[in-house]
Each structure stands twice: as structure tokens, then as C-alpha cells.
Amino acid sequence: MDFPLIGGSLVDTGVVAVYIVFLVTVAWLVSREKDGRQKSTRDYFLAGKGLPWWAVGASLIAANISAEQIIGMSGSGYAIGLAIASYEWMAAITLIIVGKYFLPVFLARRIYTMPQFLQQRYDNRVKTILAVFWLGVYVFVNLTAILWLGALTIHTIAGVELAYGMAFLVVLALAYSLYGGLKAVALTDVIQVVLLIFGGLVLSYIALDLIGEGAGVFAGFTILAERAPEKFDMILSADSPHYASLPGISVLVGGMWVMNLSYWGFNQYIIQRALAAKDLREGQKGIVFAAYLKLLMPLIVVLPGIAAVVLLPDLARADQAYPALMNLMPVGLKGLIFAALTAAIVSSLGSMVNSIATIFTMDLYCHRRPDESEAHYVRVGRIAGAVSLLLAALCARPLLGNFDQAFQYIQEFTGFFTPGIVVLCLLGIFWPLATANGALVAALASAVLSLLLKLAWPELPFIDRVGLVFLCCLALAVIASLLQSGAVAGGAGEPTEVRGDVVSQTGFATDQSFNLAGIGVVLLLTALYATWW
């Protein structure tokens, strides 16, 4: 087999090769310990609780943005338009909520994982069930998707066979993240985010300049808005062919809030970066930084797709928009943008592998073997991370062999359980009477009701279904908790212990800079939606 060249260019291929060597070198350098000192679980899983705000914020974005999301969002920009940016912009407000109300509770409890919080708030049953569930989702849904769609991206752009592409990603992820743990992942994420943003902005700049025929990006944007005005509607009407994906005003007041709170607030491989902050103030500053980066993301992942409507109007599939635009880039820049895509893939892989290792080691293995040394637990974490990555690589093709259904597979599966998880976590934080049985009722009802609604009401938009199931699970969890705690008249037996004291002493006061930053996010989003309503 001939060695594949990026875009057929030795220069572009060289740019990518230099980036990979640089990435692995930096990861190993930042992971080194002083002579004779071994990594503890705190070092490996929480970066020694020493991440500064800029590393927290950059790592949150790097963990979130992967190559398949860049290509998928650009494809949605090509097909739907700017409305798809709601996923990015609504996430910015969600991050502010997470920083103000969720992070203080989690850091006060000194947890490593979300299942640990659920154990402290509810009981060991809830912790174990959710730990096993999250491990299964992370390995067989998220990790397989990142590997398969990442390899598919490499195949589309560079012509590398899928098997070789996955092998390349596995080796690269293991080389830069397995030894150093979260510290290696988070600090190299800073480099990756800089490259990702720079590469994306360059692509958008050149695309708009091509539309403007050399008159500049502002002229190009004006022409784009004039020639494709339908792509700049933020709220889709009911007669839009894409209404089922983005059901009008429900995007702003409905189920997307549930999806975002689940992803940014209760998702281990996202929130783990904030848990590793030096202190609460650094974590909150990092979250604000990430929120403002999310406001920028549509320029990088959506605008190129909209620009392709004018530059490349005859594409066979919408998801060809980003790779096709890359082919318009000059030599050298094409390699830089491909390196940015690679950065997005390996950042997400490294983040996911570390979170899988953390949950397996701290929530399951430590419970069985509580008296082992710190070095032993770190070694188990490394083995768990490597095994999960290899297992995902083996399962990727059978699970995601049909690319057209990959995103639907991810969204549908996680969407079945998301409403219940958000209910039990929110009640655990804000309602002292919530009980373990109420939490389990919410988790079970989420899957059952989601399946029933999908079968009985298939035309209901996915986001609306998530919102409706959330409300039902909330009602059921409250009723079950009241019955168990003896607060409902006629309840049998003695009231059951409720662990509301876990969060009752936590304060939610934030400093003036955080509050001003949060107001800034709201004002910017209000202006954006008012402009393109």
C-alpha cells in the first residue's frame, strides 16, 4: 500500500506529522514526575487538583469538539443553516448555570466522579447502576463513535483505509494520554484548542473571501446572506423540512435544556476537567472561558457549511461540505486544518479514555479492593483505559458500519436515558427530600417512557420528546420520594433517612466578575437571536 499523502501533498503531510510528534512530546514532558515520586489517583485522575482556569476552559472545549462533530455540524449548516448553531449557543448559557449551581456542590464533596456524588447523595445502588450504565455508554456509544467517525473523516480526506485510520487513532490516543492521565490530556488540550480555532477560522476566512471574490470577508458574508437568506433563520417554522430536528421555539424553552444540562453538568468526561481545577474560583473562571469559546464555535463549525451552499452548491451529501472546502485551501493550510481535525479527534478520545478509567477504578474496582496502594489503582486505571479503547475499536464497525445512521444511533440511545439522569441529579442538588428510590424510579421511567413515546408518537420531534419525558420523570421521582420519606399522609412505616444534608450547606454566591461574564453571555445571545430570528 502506498503511503497516503494529505491532499496529495508532501508539505501538508509533513505539517500533520510535525504536529503529532509535537503533541506526544509535550504530553510526555508535562506528565513527568520528580525522581522517585509515583503518581497518585489524585494526580492521574484529577491532574493533582492543580488545573488553572485556562486549562479547564480549553479542555472542556477540546473534549466536546471532535472531528465528526465538526463535519456533522458543517453538514447541518449546509442543509439547515444557522439554526443548528443553537446547540453551541445554548450550551454557553448552560455552562454558566453549571459554574454557578453545580460545580460548588461537586467541589465541596471532593468527588472524583459523578457516581461518587450519587452515592453520597443517595446510596450505593444508585452509584453502581449509574457507574455501570455510564461505562457502557462511554465505551459502546461514545468511544466507538469517536473512533469510527474519526477514522471515516481521515478516510474521506486522506484516503486512509478505515482499519488503518482507527489503528492510527488508537495508537496516538494511547501514546499521549495513557501515561500522563488527565494532566497530559488537559494541558495538551490547550494546544489542540488553539490549533482547532485557528484552523477553523482560517477555513471560514478563506471561504468568505472566495465568495467575496477578493473583496474581503465582510463583503463575502454580505453576499452569502443575500444569496442564501433561508440559511440564516435561527427559529424554524413548522413547515420547515428540518422542523423535526429543530422544532421552533422548543429549541429555546424545551428539551434542549435537558440535553445540555445532562451533557455539560452531569457528564463525567466533561465535568471531570472542572473537578480538577485548583479551586472553585479557578473552575468557575474556566467554565466562563469555555462559555465564550462556545459562542465562537459556530464561526468554526457552522459557517463553513453555509458558505459551501454558495461555493459548492451541487454536493451529493451535506456532510461533504467541510472536506470539500478543505480541498479549496492552499498547500500547507490544508495540512494545518487536517491537523486541527486530528487534534479534535484525539482530544475527545483522550478525554473519554481517562473518564472511563476513572469511573471503573474509583467507583467499581476500589469498592472491591479498598486496601490497595495508590500506584496499584493508577496501574488499574491505565489498563482499563487501554482495554476500553481496544474494545471500542473492535466494536466500532459492527455498531456503526452504516455511517448514515451513526448520529441517529448516538442521539436516540443517549436520549432514552438523559431525562431521568437529569431529574435525579437536579433533585439531588436542589431538593433535600429526594430519595434513592425516587432516583431509581426516574432512571427506569426515562427509558420506558422514551421507548413508548417513540413507538406511539413517532412524529413527535426528538427534542420535544426529551422535554416531555423529563417532566414525567420529575413528577414520578417526586411522588416516589415523598412516599418513601413518609411525607405523604398515610405512608406506612417509619420515615426513611434522606441525605439532603449532602448539599444543604453549599452556597451558590459567585463573585462580581463571574456574574458580569454570565450577563455578557445572555446579552450576546439575545442580540444574536434578535438579529437572525
Side-chain angles (χ1 to χ4, degrees):
M1 182 186 75
D2 295 332
F3 183 78
L5 298 177
I6 309 301
S9 166
L10 190 60
V11 173
D12 289 321
T13 305
V15 169
V16 176
V18 167
Y19 157 73
I20 291 172
V21 172
F22 176 68
L23 174 71
V24 175
T25 302
V26 169
W28 278 81
L29 287 175
V30 301
S31 301
R32 292 185 305 173
E33 298 289 344
K34 294 179 180 179
D35 292 341
R37 185 181 184 279
Q38 292 185 322
K39 288 185 184 296
S40 65
T41 54
R42 181 185 170 100
D43 296 328
Y44 190 76
F45 298 124
L46 291 181
K49 286 286 292 178
L51 291 185
W53 66 267
W54 44 268
V56 171
S59 191
L60 283 168
I61 297 302
N64 166 237
I65 300 292
S66 190
E68 82 278 358
Q69 182 175 354
I70 294 173
I71 291 179
M73 291 287 282
S74 294
S76 295
Y78 185 91
I80 301 173
L82 192 62
I84 197 66
S86 287
Y87 277 98
E88 303 298 316
W89 287 340
M90 294 294 287
I93 295 183
T94 306
L95 279 164
I96 299 299
I97 293 172
V98 170
K100 183 172 180 63
Y101 295 108
F102 300 173
L103 188 61
V105 174
F106 299 154
L107 290 184
R109 304 314 304 167
R110 300 181 180 180
I111 59 173
Y112 282 70
T113 68
M114 283 305 302
Q116 277 186 336
F117 168 72
L118 296 177
Q119 181 185 34
Q120 293 176 9
R121 179 58 184 85
Y122 295 117
D123 62 19
N124 195 59
R125 294 176 303 155
V126 180
K127 181 205 78 168
T128 302
I129 290 172
L130 268 296
V132 172
F133 166 76
W134 270 316
L135 283 177
V137 170
Y138 287 167
V139 174
F140 296 109
V141 179
N142 297 104
L143 202 56
T144 54
I146 296 170
L147 272 176
W148 176 255
L149 299 177
L152 203 60
T153 300
I154 294 173
H155 172 73
T156 301
I157 296 171
V160 178
E161 292 294 329
L162 289 172
Y164 293 115
M166 278 198 289
F168 162 73
L169 293 174
V170 168
V171 171
L172 182 55
L174 291 176
Y176 104 97
S177 68
L178 198 64
Y179 172 73
L182 184 60
K183 184 178 181 181
V185 172
L187 294 182
T188 52
D189 277 349
V190 177
I191 302 168
Q192 316 241 51
V193 165
V194 170
L195 182 60
L196 177 65
I197 292 175
F198 179 74
L201 290 177
V202 166
L203 182 66
S204 295
Y205 179 92
I206 294 177
L208 290 176
D209 192 55
L210 288 172
I211 293 173
E213 298 179 342
V217 293
F218 294 108
F221 185 83
T222 301
I223 294 171
L224 177 61
E226 291 173 351
R227 294 177 61 180
E230 73 283 358
K231 301 298 181 183
F232 288 89
D233 293 330
M234 284 301 303
I235 304 298
L236 301 182
S237 60
D239 58 357
S240 169
H242 304 289
Y243 183 80
S245 300
L246 294 164
I249 199 67
S250 292
V251 171
L252 300 183
V253 298
M256 188 175 287
W257 282 104
V258 180
M259 300 297 292
N260 276 335
L261 288 173
S262 172
Y263 183 85
W264 293 102
F266 310 126
N267 183 358
Q268 176 68 27
Y269 91 99
I270 293 294
I271 200 66
Q272 189 169 344
R273 280 105 194 92
L275 296 179
K278 289 179 180 179
D279 52 42
L280 176 59
R281 192 163 187 273
E282 286 291 293
Q284 289 176 328
K285 284 161 60 178
I287 283 178
V288 166
F289 180 41
Y292 278 90
L293 289 178
K294 289 303 286 182
L295 294 178
L296 185 65
M297 283 298 116
L299 290 178
I300 297 168
V301 300
V302 179
L303 186 58
I306 301 175
V309 173
V310 173
L311 292 172
L312 303 160
D314 300 320
L315 292 177
R317 296 197 319 271
D319 56 27
Q320 292 177 341
Y322 203 91
L325 279 178
M326 285 183 60
N327 291 329
L328 302 178
M329 300 298 107
V331 171
L333 279 179
K334 189 182 297 182
L336 181 68
I337 295 170
F338 184 84
L341 286 175
T342 305
I345 299 169
V346 296
S347 292
S348 296
L349 283 176
S351 300
M352 187 66 67
V353 167
N354 186 260
S355 293
I356 290 169
T358 306
I359 290 178
F360 176 82
T361 305
M362 304 307 295
D363 292 319
L364 300 180
Y365 188 84
C366 281
H367 182 69
R368 298 270 183 180
R369 304 279 294 273
D371 299 322
E372 301 291 345
S373 66
E374 291 280 298
H376 177 83
Y377 292 135
V378 170
R379 185 163 59 250
V380 169
R382 287 178 176 144
I383 293 171
V387 170
S388 68
L389 199 52
L390 295 174
L391 186 60
L394 292 174
C395 295
R397 185 182 290 271
L399 290 175
L400 297 173
N402 186 341
F403 178 69
D404 291 335
Q405 296 179 0
F407 288 102
Q408 182 182 1
Y409 162 76
I410 299 167
Q411 188 182 58
E412 287 288 344
F413 187 85
T414 56
F416 275 21
F417 301 94
T418 294
I421 291 173
V422 174
V423 165
L424 66 91
C425 289
L426 286 179
L427 291 181
I429 293 174
F430 296 111
W431 193 47
L433 291 180
T435 65
N437 284 351
L440 293 175
V441 166
L444 179 61
S446 181
V448 174
L449 292 175
S450 294
L451 179 60
L452 290 176
L453 280 175
K454 180 175 174 58
L455 297 176
W457 196 355
E459 66 275 13
L460 181 67
F462 171 78
I463 289 177
D464 289 346
R465 189 179 79 213
V466 168
L468 182 57
V469 172
F470 169 80
L471 294 176
C472 293
C473 290
L474 180 62
L476 291 171
V478 168
I479 293 170
S481 294
L482 291 175
L483 287 171
Q484 183 184 1
S485 64
V488 172
E494 293 296 323
T496 306
E497 177 191 5
V498 180
R499 301 185 180 186
D501 60 296
V502 168
V503 296
S504 61
Q505 302 303 316
T506 303
F508 298 116
T510 45
D511 60 32
Q512 186 176 20
S513 61
F514 182 92
N515 295 335
L516 289 174
I519 293 171
V521 168
V522 173
L523 291 177
L524 284 171
L525 286 179
T526 302
L528 289 168
Y529 276 94
T531 302
W532 288 299
W533 185 271

